[in-house]
Amino acid sequence: MAKYTREQRQRAVELYVKYECCAADVIRELGYPSREALRMWHRDWLDEQETGVSSQRGERYARYTEEQKRAAVDHYLTHGRRASRTMRQMGYPSKEVLASWIDELAPGERRIRRGPVPGELKRDAVLKVASGELSSREAAEAVGVDSSVVRNWKRQLLGDAKGLMVTKREPERGDSSQQDDPDALRGEIATLRADLERLRAEQRAMEIRLAIMKGAAELVGKEPGADPDNLTSREKTTLIKDISETLGVNAESLLKEVGIARSTYYYQLKAMRRPDKNANLLSLVREAFGNSRRRYGYKRIHLELKSAGIIVSAKRIMRLMTSHGMVPVLKSAKRYSSYKGEIGGAPANLVNRDFHATAPNRLWVTDITEFSIPAGKVDNARFFAHFRIPGLT
């Protein structure tokens, strides 16, 4: 927890009251403290106004003398204004306490990062580091960030752009400053490690994608019309479960790849753990289907179970038999038809749909199909009669 003087707490509380108890405005202006600490100081201030007794908060933290405070602040101001360097050299205090000392003894001298670094400053720092003009630490101090941030900028801007690389000055035989520069070596090692991690991540992603495609193809099978991209929620859940167990990947990281919501995935998992409600019925259907020597369809199976006192829907039996491959061996009988084919030759078609009547009753056409008489059936073949009315020709 940061340590603040009574004057700092009083100033923060006054601004808090002035800004209508808006902690964000106070922290934005002063740079301290946290929201919880500011509200706690405000409660102490209200208690002091009510009781007239000063709060003793903060007095137990008086662990450093004024000389130690001044020495730490002077070192900070004269050594690049880096809190980590001052803490490492002096051995005290914490970063928050040092910030409060700087605000107390040298107001306005503490370096505060406000917002993102402009792109021009990033490119300038990267060019100076890549050309050997400055080390990553010196460039970071000039911009006001950590040296690791500058190295990240370098990897982002010059990672794969080989054409943008700036040629470095070759060190002379007696010049070992660049060869022995620990920051340069650390930067190169960090770059190689980042590239290695990136390649490993890409390889891992490709393995997961390949496993998803293979698993989807196995689930849908090779039937015509099978679409691996159109799986059901139950099939997607099964696929994620198998891949996570096989590759040792977190199941939730595969939800987006497979295309299923998190709530749906866990619902399907819970549903898969429930006992099968059709287990008992399936055994009865299998038994009835086996007793029929694989001849009964779902309707006969439904009647068999109904006669045994088992009331169940016929469609449910049909779904069970279809999903478990219980198909009757014999086909159903054909529907009865009395047609036995042509029993005689059909007479010649005298008209053959090619005529032109110049007057009425010049040509009569009829179609006799079949008549049932006691002597038998008349020929059912079609014939056409050509009649000519006497006196009209």
Side-chain angles (χ1 to χ4, degrees), residues 342-347 379 381-382:
E342 301 290 344
I343 61 176
D379 187 1
R382 294 182 179 182

Side-chain angles (χ1 to χ4, degrees), residues 264-284:
T264 307
Y265 169 72
Y266 284 105
Y267 172 80
Q268 292 295 337
L269 275 183
K270 188 176 180 180
M272 290 167 61
R273 298 191 187 102
R274 299 194 194 109
D276 188 7
K277 63 180 180 180
N278 294 323
N280 297 330
L281 179 61
L282 180 61
S283 61
L284 296 175

